[in-house]
Amino acid sequence: MRPEILFPLFKSITSLPGIGPRMEKRVEDLAGPHVADLCWHLPAGLVDRRYQPKIAEAKDGEIATITVNIGSHIAPPSGNKRLPYRVWVNDDSGDMALVFFHARPDYLHRMLPEGETRIISGKIEMFQDAPQMSHPDHILTEAELDNLPLVEPVYPLTQGVTQKVLQKAIRGALKQLPDLPEWQDPAWLAKQGWDTFNKTLARAHAPEDLADLDPNSPARCRLAFDELLANQLALALVRLRMKKQPGRKIVGTGILRKKIEAEIPFSLTHAQNMALAEIDGDLKAPWRMLRLLQGDVGSGKTIVALLAMASAVEAGTQAAMMAPTEILARQHLETLLPLCKAAGISLALLTGREKGKTREALLSSLAAGEIDILVGTHALFQDDVTFKNLSLAIVDEQHRFGVHQRLQLSGKGGAGTDVLVMTATPIPRTLTLTAYGDMDVSRITEKPPGRLPIDTRILPIERLSDMVEGLKRALASGARAYWVCPLVEESELVQATAAEDRYAFLKAIFGDTVGIVHGRMKAAEKDEVMQKFIAGDISVLVATTVIEVGVNVPEATIMVIEHAERFGLAQLHQLRGRVGRGSGKSSCMLLYQGPLSETAQARLKIMRDTEDGFIIAEEDLRLRGAGELLGTRQSGLPTFHFADLASHANLLAVAHDDARLIIERDPELQSDRGQALRTMLYLFERDEAIRFIRSG
Ligand code: ADP
Ligand code: MG
């Protein structure tokens, strides 16, 4: 249960001043639904009002705070809305005009009564050599001067939310911050010179100069560390809990594996063998496997997964493998089916499309243990899916799933299910730690032999027609090509429309050999098109990023990506990995719409210069920061309010060690510090892990 002292922070933002029903949605989209979310919304800039010149000295373009006498109001000639309303003000050095467009005279007379003294603050502009100020940010009486923040934080905004509204709401939110217990080790705090959490947060919201906005400022470092510790502690608790449960000793006979290995036309690479050995070690051991298998696109994870599952079957148990999309699940089925047949393993598919009688029949043979390996999508999670004896759960392309789903899937097999998570998105080490700090990691760092390098080119969209000519020639000699259309963030519809347009354009040129798949098509339609592409009945496949993950058509050797500048590098890498899978020489055309920013240029250049996913991932993190790394919020990677992994990688390492140490000394978080740490987990909403302390 969330500690009572935190209740005020988890009230709705509508409890804050100035946030009514109209504002609620906007502020929620910007920061989040709770008061706490506004506390975490840090300024991105500041306005310094400490410059207090006389009127005559006021410099053009500066923010100035000036004490003035109010002179006359000059309304524009009636009816002329384009001319401003002016209020003349003066001090002993001179006078200037305050300028208002679309003015409401009665309001201005109230705010600026003639003959009185006011303090105004705003930007000085020179107009015909005389200073003026349009729409001062603040107009105060001398008595109100104390209310004027001399340095004002400037918050990231969104459409329809003004700085004033947000500042007021955030001030209100910060007032709700309770007296929190200290959860950090005092010696470490002293060493870093860090203040208490509350003082630190207050400071982060009241920057005095630009250095205070730097991720390396003491305040931002402490907040980042708190957040990273919460993340690492939560993962350490999950790990502790998973490891504490007795695993099952799965010892295969090797019989099925031999049969499978006899069927595949290649032998495993050294890296594949190493990974398999690590997995075997976990399967045999009495503890539960919790392992991440990282391997670049095309590094051959699927066969490793199958051989691991074969061991589970040899031991008389079942295995499951989950893919993030229908296309992928089907593809796994097709890859695995001939191998399983040869080995006498019974394999079945369960997706959202298996319905009614088919589904019932499938579920009952699953429960009876007649199915050895079940491949599927999220449908595997459904409550009525029960295995007779699931010992190994594999999640493919994990970056689409979070910790939560990981736990859910492993729950299917009861306590001891071994979990193997496979990801083809090589993520930087720091991110691996934040997302998978609970897991052991195996990496396949080498590709199967004989792969030709992919010729990657960067072209402006203006060269489209040249490219189409080139494509014509390639298709004439039997090539197959993917054509990926612009990614439109958050809108599958716009994305699909763009793809449809391009499809029409290409169809006009290449005729019936062009097909299209996108996320708004029915699964059956998508499959049909994919099948045609696999069979070679169509040779140009126009697609949105639905083909990003895992699709395997070795005959495809050309990848065209439009608006490559809009994609994350990891995504481009994934997409490019769709080609270069067979023996033919492959190429990748990155079409961009200029002009490109320096960062965008650097990013595309990395794509041209290397195919090593791990290098690409590290560079992407460096250039863009973790937030954008995978392009989408649904990436399943944890998000941070304060921590910026490009800047705080060193803090993450400390947090990781600290978390493991804490768990070693106080696994149930019972000590005073342990109790405070619980509060911290709740504060940062990583409290799901707390459930594991007692149960199990
Ligand atoms: P990913 O790691 O991206 O899931 P896949 O498992 O789909 O990669 O493998 C990509 C291709 O490489 C497949 O066609 C697979 O049969 C082939 N492959 C896998 N391992 C080897 C190997 N050791 N030697 C040659 N080809 C291999
Ligand atoms: Mg794969």
Side-chain angles (χ1 to χ4, degrees):
M1 281 281 282
R2 180 183 289 150
E4 229 165 281
I5 57 164
L6 298 182
F7 285 3
L9 289 177
F10 288 91
K11 281 201 291 206
S12 158
I13 47 174
T14 50
S15 65
L16 294 169
I19 304 194
R22 204 165 50 90
M23 267 306 150
E24 180 185 5
K25 175 86 178 58
R26 297 173 188 165
V27 175
E28 182 177 331
D29 287 348
L30 179 66
H34 300 131
V35 170
D37 296 311
L38 279 180
C39 292
W40 310 157
H41 193 72
L42 295 187
L46 54 85
V47 177
D48 190 341
R49 303 189 183 283
R50 287 174 291 195
Y51 176 53
Q52 301 181 26
K54 292 282 181 196
I55 289 176
E57 316 164 330
K59 286 197 216 89
D60 188 19
E62 296 286 314
I63 302 285
T65 303
I66 313 179
T67 306
V68 296
N69 303 308
I70 312 296
S72 50
H73 285 229
I74 317 270
S78 64
N80 194 339
K81 289 213 167 104
R82 307 240 312 275
L83 288 178
Y85 186 103
R86 286 169 202 275
V87 180
W88 284 95
V89 299
N90 57 73
D91 63 9
D92 54 19
S93 75
D95 57 8
M96 73 173 190
L98 305 182
V99 178
F100 300 89
F101 292 89
H102 306 289
R104 287 179 6 233
D106 50 335
Y107 170 78
L108 288 175
H109 276 288
R110 237 182 306 125
M111 292 300 289
L112 296 161
E114 211 170 320
E116 295 199 10
T117 301
R118 288 291 181 274
I119 292 140
I120 53 162
S121 185
K123 191 180 202 167
I124 300 290
E125 300 153 5
M126 286 310 208
F127 182 68
Q128 295 171 347
D129 281 340
Q132 67 174 31
M133 189 183 284
S134 20
H135 298 266
D137 304 329
H138 297 277
I139 299 172
L140 305 165
T141 64
E142 281 172 297
E144 290 165 336
L145 183 58
D146 286 348
N147 295 341
L148 178 70
L150 281 179
V151 184
E152 236 177 85
V154 175
Y155 291 103
L157 294 179
T158 185
Q159 184 91 44
V161 180
T162 63
Q163 212 41 256
K164 274 207 172 131
V165 166
L166 201 58
Q167 282 175 0
K168 191 162 152 201
I170 289 175
R171 272 198 303 275
L174 291 172
K175 283 202 192 105
Q176 299 297 316
L177 209 64
D179 225 346
L180 292 165
E182 183 55 71
W183 47 74
Q184 297 294 0
D185 174 33
W188 164 248
L189 283 183
K191 183 162 168 249
Q192 296 295 316
W194 287 343
D195 227 322
T196 63
F197 180 81
N198 285 13
K199 281 190 188 160
T200 304
L201 189 64
R203 180 67 203 261
H205 280 280
E208 295 196 346
D209 47 41
L210 290 176
D212 286 338
L213 300 170
D214 192 289
N216 291 312
S217 70
R220 296 216 175 193
C221 280
R222 149 123 216 201
L223 296 175
F225 187 74
D226 288 328
E227 193 173 34
L228 290 169
L229 185 62
N231 162 263
Q232 290 298 302
L233 192 57
L235 289 170
L237 286 168
V238 171
R239 182 185 167 84
L240 180 75
R241 138 96 181 195
M242 297 287 250
K243 290 270 164 183
K244 223 165 50 184
Q245 288 170 350
R248 311 207 329 221
K249 296 189 199 176
I250 300 294
V251 187
T253 56
I255 295 175
L256 298 176
R257 271 198 186 177
K258 269 212 191 72
K259 289 185 185 163
I260 294 169
E261 282 175 7
E263 278 297 305
I264 52 177
F266 49 79
S267 48
L268 296 193
T269 61
H270 177 67
Q272 283 172 317
N273 276 319
M274 292 288 289
L276 196 57
E278 286 171 334
I279 294 167
D280 281 344
D282 283 346
L283 290 175
K284 281 190 194 127
W287 60 74
R288 181 175 205 182
M289 170 161 75
L290 201 54
R291 183 169 291 279
L292 176 70
L293 178 60
Q294 266 185 318
D296 213 336
V297 201
S299 60
K301 295 181 294 298
T302 316
I303 189 70
V304 172
L306 176 62
L307 292 173
M309 292 193 288
S311 285
V313 178
E314 283 166 5
T317 64
Q318 292 167 298
M321 178 148 143
M322 184 167 66
T325 66
E326 176 108 27
I327 291 182
L328 268 176
R330 254 161 227 290
Q331 193 178 284
H332 278 321
L333 184 81
E334 266 142 45
T335 320
L336 302 184
L337 206 52
L339 299 176
C340 287
K341 258 201 189 117
I345 295 171
S346 83
L347 178 70
L349 176 74
L350 179 65
T351 71
R353 278 169 64 196
E354 276 66 45
K355 291 203 178 86
K357 287 239 161 62
T358 326
R359 186 167 186 277
E360 266 167 48
L362 197 146
L363 291 185
S364 74
S365 29
L366 187 68
E370 290 151 19
I371 292 170
D372 298 320
I373 298 180
L374 184 64
V375 173
T377 55
H378 280 82
L380 296 185
F381 281 144
Q382 280 153 6
D383 284 340
D384 57 347
V385 178
T386 34
F387 291 80
K388 179 164 185 242
N389 193 356
L390 178 70
S391 72
L392 172 61
I394 299 185
V395 182
D396 193 14
E397 312 295 354
Q398 158 73 17
H399 68 275
R400 300 286 171 107
F401 303 107
V403 175
H404 182 73
Q405 281 102 333
R406 222 135 80 204
L407 293 167
Q408 239 183 331
L409 182 67
S410 65
K412 281 277 170 215
T417 319
D418 285 320
V419 177
L420 178 69
V421 166
M422 306 199 292
T423 170
T425 307
I427 51 180
R429 278 173 200 283
T430 46
L431 273 181
T432 308
L433 218 50
T434 62
Y436 308 105
D438 56 332
M439 310 187 94
D440 298 303
V441 178
S442 297
R443 284 184 156 194
I444 303 184
T445 48
E446 144 196 38
K447 286 203 184 168
R451 294 278 158 83
L452 295 166
I454 299 169
D455 180 16
T456 299
R457 304 208 178 160
I458 306 172
L459 295 171
I461 189 77
E462 290 76 23
R463 299 266 309 271
L464 185 70
S465 53
D466 295 351
M467 227 210 53
V468 168
E469 284 307 310
L471 191 57
K472 241 184 225 166
R473 285 192 296 275
L475 294 182
S477 58
R480 251 174 267 175
Y482 294 100
W483 190 298
V484 178
C485 283
L487 175 79
V488 180
E489 198 75 38
E490 338 279 15
S491 170
E492 188 66 32
L493 177 64
V494 183
Q495 198 167 315
T497 315
E500 291 280 3
D501 288 351
R502 184 54 80 207
Y503 170 63
F505 170 84
L506 291 171
K507 212 170 157 73
I509 300 170
F510 298 113
D512 284 342
T513 67
V514 186
I516 180 168
V517 286
H518 59 67
R520 290 180 71 86
M521 287 164 58
K522 290 213 181 75
E525 294 171 332
K526 277 193 276 192
D527 282 353
E528 201 189 314
V529 179
M530 283 309 297
Q531 283 312 328
K532 281 188 183 164
F533 188 60
I534 290 167
D537 298 338
I538 55 177
S539 45
V540 180
L541 182 66
V542 177
T544 55
T545 43
V546 288
I547 62 150
E548 177 189 341
V549 181
V551 172
N552 189 25
V553 183
E555 295 82 4
T557 54
I558 300 172
M559 168 64 65
V560 179
I561 303 174
E562 272 191 63
H563 277 294
E565 78 281 1
R566 291 191 195 164
F567 291 81
L569 281 192
Q571 229 170 356
L572 288 178
H573 179 65
Q574 282 274 350
L575 289 168
R576 180 171 59 183
R578 302 301 114 219
V579 296
R581 300 191 145 223
S583 50
K585 185 151 174 45
S586 296
S587 57
C588 173
M589 308 288 169
L590 302 175
L591 292 178
Y592 67 88
Q593 173 87 64
L596 289 181
S597 70
E598 227 168 273
T599 307
Q601 274 177 36
R603 293 172 58 240
L604 292 183
K605 207 165 149 299
I606 291 163
M607 288 305 296
R608 195 187 55 201
D609 294 346
T610 182
E611 275 183 58
D612 184 326
F614 288 102
I615 295 180
I616 291 173
E618 296 288 348
E619 286 295 308
D620 204 16
L621 177 63
R622 195 175 60 76
L623 287 170
R624 295 211 307 170
E628 301 201 48
L629 198 61
L630 295 167
T632 58
R633 255 185 253 164
Q634 303 90 322
S635 62
L637 290 173
T639 51
F640 295 101
H641 302 285
F642 304 129
D644 161 11
L645 293 173
S647 309
H648 299 134
N650 54 339
L651 291 178
L652 175 64
V654 180
H656 181 70
D657 294 345
D658 207 13
R660 296 246 165 146
L661 207 66
I662 289 166
I663 295 294
E664 230 168 72
R665 289 191 189 147
D666 183 15
E668 299 196 346
L669 302 183
Q670 292 294 347
S671 66
D672 285 352
R673 185 178 179 205
Q675 297 290 345
L677 285 163
R678 286 173 182 238
T679 304
M680 178 192 74
L681 288 171
Y682 280 106
L683 187 64
F684 288 112
E685 297 181 76
R686 308 277 189 208
D687 47 286
E688 206 182 344
I690 293 179
R691 282 195 290 121
F692 301 127
I693 295 177
R694 285 251 162 244
S695 60

